[in-house]
Amino acid sequence: MGSRMAENAGSSVISINGAAGSSQATAGASPLPQRKSSSAESPPELRILCFDLTFYNRTTQFLLSCAGVFILYILYGYLQELIFTVEGFKPYGWFLTLVQFGYYIGFGLVERRLEGYRVSGGSFWNIEPEPRCIPMKTYLVLAALTLGTMGLSNSSLGYLNYPTQVIFKCCKLIPVLVGSILIQGKRYGVLDFAAATCMCIGLAWFTLADSQMTPNFNLLGVAMISGALLCDAAIGNVQEKAMREFKAPSSEVVFYSYGLGFVYLFVIMLVTGNFFSGFAFCLEHPLETFGYGFLFSLSGYLGIQFVLALVRSSGAPIAATVTTARKAVTIAFSFILFSKPFTVQYLWSGLIVVLGIYLNVYSKKNKLTFADIRQRLKQFANSRIARTPSRKFLIEV
């Protein structure tokens, strides 16, 4: 979900920079003094909650955003795995999702009030948040998809190793690519298909290694995390269209998506009776569940803000590269901090997945289609035919 918001943020930055460039060109053609043209240029606004990074240079913005992404998401992964190491917690992944959504509602309210305070001033507690931009029916769909993504992802840890879950999350391109072709009729280039192929091979190899090394491996976990990826891929299309059409801020999307998702999950857990058993278990272990859950949720919520800032300052391809490197570090920390079996197949299969991610990022800047390849092969063949090498043999007597 955060990555799709990041792509929207990236597109808005491009338009802002384009406008700034055109104004600069107009100022250059005008005989006005140089001082006015420089004042006409204003850097695009870059904020992380109430912290303004606009007037830092690009390198500082990049380093601060990268530091936030690495620190917060490594902490997020560590706490998530730590919660599932609590004896008897594995059946309560959906209750952890409910707790996480509850915390996200509180964080969203605080963020929206901070935005209102920054715009209008006055007393923090008397500020009315900005009115909703996106229709409620769209949020009803987004909330259901968000619930599927987060709930299935959290619950899959009861059946899978944490590194296997992260490897699956790295391969979101596969359902996105297939869905775009089947639903929207999009066409992709050679590099996109090569990236998806590398991800499929690496993912299959990593899952096979995990099934051989982990005694409690369960295909139900694979089905859960695959369902989470499908929901996440669908979220992207709905969210991107809504944010572009209604010009909604990311804080509004996060607040309503998680708020309605909390209502959905609360009703479902009440009907099934899982709410009371999960709540009773968490009351027996308040620090390991509610306490760690608060830090887990806070690090995830703040991590979204840093990813968005990274996209605005450096672009979506660089943000994707940084988040991929973060996932690799998270997997390494998981093997170091939590005892689990290791095989070199994990390393090789993970590198194949990383290669697929790199090809996907590279394809964003270098569009290579099947027609381009045919044209280049044709040119190469014609150049070979055009050359008639005359071989001269020198015979020494």
Side-chain angles (χ1 to χ4, degrees):
M1 179 172 179
S3 60
R4 283 292 171 182
M5 287 187 213
E7 289 174 11
N8 280 300
S11 62
S12 64
V13 170
I14 292 171
S15 63
I16 291 171
N17 288 339
S22 62
S23 65
Q24 184 180 0
T26 308
S30 167
L32 293 174
Q34 186 67 26
R35 206 171 33 185
K36 282 199 173 180
S37 75
S38 63
S39 64
E41 293 182 45
S42 58
E45 186 180 48
L46 183 67
R47 285 182 175 273
I48 301 176
L49 297 178
C50 56
F51 300 102
D52 190 359
L53 306 181
T54 305
F55 298 102
Y56 288 97
N57 59 49
R58 293 290 294 275
T59 303
T60 305
Q61 290 176 353
F62 173 76
L63 292 175
L64 288 174
S65 301
C66 284
V69 169
F70 270 84
I71 293 171
L72 290 167
Y73 275 112
I74 288 173
L75 180 62
Y76 178 89
Y78 170 76
L79 289 168
Q80 186 180 31
E81 191 168 6
L82 182 64
I83 292 171
F84 275 89
T85 60
V86 177
E87 186 72 26
F89 185 80
K90 287 188 176 181
Y92 302 114
W94 285 102
F95 189 83
L96 175 64
T97 306
L98 185 70
V99 172
Q100 185 179 8
F101 277 28
Y103 283 132
Y104 274 26
I105 293 172
F107 300 150
L109 280 173
V110 172
E111 183 184 3
R112 299 198 77 201
R113 285 189 176 273
L114 283 173
E115 287 183 352
Y117 177 77
R118 179 174 60 85
V119 173
S120 59
S123 174
F124 176 80
W125 299 108
N126 296 329
I127 291 172
E128 289 293 329
E130 292 293 319
R132 176 169 46 85
C133 300
I134 298 177
M136 186 57 70
K137 62 180 181 180
T138 305
Y139 278 128
L140 292 174
V141 176
L142 270 177
L145 294 173
T146 303
L147 177 58
T149 300
M150 303 290 288
L152 291 171
S153 178
N154 286 336
S155 299
S156 68
L157 274 181
Y159 307 94
L160 292 177
N161 261 341
Y162 182 76
T164 307
Q165 188 216 46
V166 175
I167 285 291
F168 267 89
K169 286 182 177 180
C170 290
C171 299
K172 191 174 73 172
L173 168 69
I174 299 171
V176 170
L177 187 143
V178 173
S180 299
I181 293 174
L182 295 178
I183 298 173
Q184 303 184 37
K186 284 188 177 181
R187 304 182 69 177
Y188 288 90
V190 180
L191 292 177
D192 294 303
F193 284 104
T197 303
C198 288
M199 289 180 183
C200 288
I201 295 172
L203 192 58
W205 193 2
F206 200 99
T207 306
L208 179 63
D210 195 40
S211 66
Q212 295 172 348
M213 296 297 296
T214 308
N216 62 343
F217 180 84
N218 195 321
L219 284 176
L220 180 59
V222 175
M224 283 183 167
I225 193 63
S226 300
L229 286 182
L230 291 174
C231 290
D232 200 15
I235 279 177
N237 292 324
V238 179
Q239 193 181 79
E240 184 178 1
K241 180 181 177 182
M243 291 182 72
R244 184 175 60 245
E245 184 178 348
F246 298 101
K247 304 291 188 297
S250 59
S251 60
E252 177 192 312
V253 177
V254 169
F255 176 73
Y256 281 98
S257 299
Y258 287 103
L260 291 172
F262 178 88
V263 175
Y264 286 164
L265 185 55
F266 183 70
V267 171
I268 292 171
M269 295 191 75
L270 278 179
V271 172
T272 58
N274 292 328
F275 173 80
F276 300 103
S277 58
F279 188 65
F281 180 87
C282 292
L283 286 179
E284 295 176 5
H285 307 83
L287 176 62
E288 293 86 352
T289 54
F290 294 118
Y292 292 166
F294 172 78
L295 297 175
F296 162 68
S297 304
L298 180 62
S299 57
Y301 192 88
L302 293 177
I304 293 174
Q305 312 300 323
F306 277 92
V307 170
L308 291 172
L310 184 61
V311 171
R312 292 188 189 104
S313 63
S314 304
I318 292 179
T321 305
V322 171
T323 52
T324 301
R326 186 275 306 170
K327 288 174 183 174
V329 174
T330 302
I331 292 175
F333 269 99
S334 177
F335 279 107
I336 293 171
L337 298 175
F338 298 94
S339 60
K340 53 175 65 71
F342 179 79
T343 174
V344 73
Q345 292 181 19
Y346 284 148
L347 180 61
W348 294 119
S349 56
L351 288 175
I352 293 175
V353 172
V354 170
L355 173 62
I357 296 170
Y358 172 76
L359 289 175
N360 181 35
V361 173
Y362 184 77
S363 68
K364 303 292 188 237
K365 291 185 176 180
N366 301 271
K367 301 292 183 183
L368 183 65
T369 63
F370 289 102
D372 294 333
I373 291 182
R374 284 195 295 268
Q375 183 67 22
R376 292 181 185 182
L377 288 175
K378 198 173 184 180
Q379 290 176 354
F380 178 75
N382 291 338
S383 65
R384 293 285 293 179
I385 293 172
R387 292 178 189 169
T388 53
S390 57
R391 296 183 180 178
K392 296 181 180 179
F393 297 95
L394 178 62
I395 301 176
E396 291 185 3
V397 180

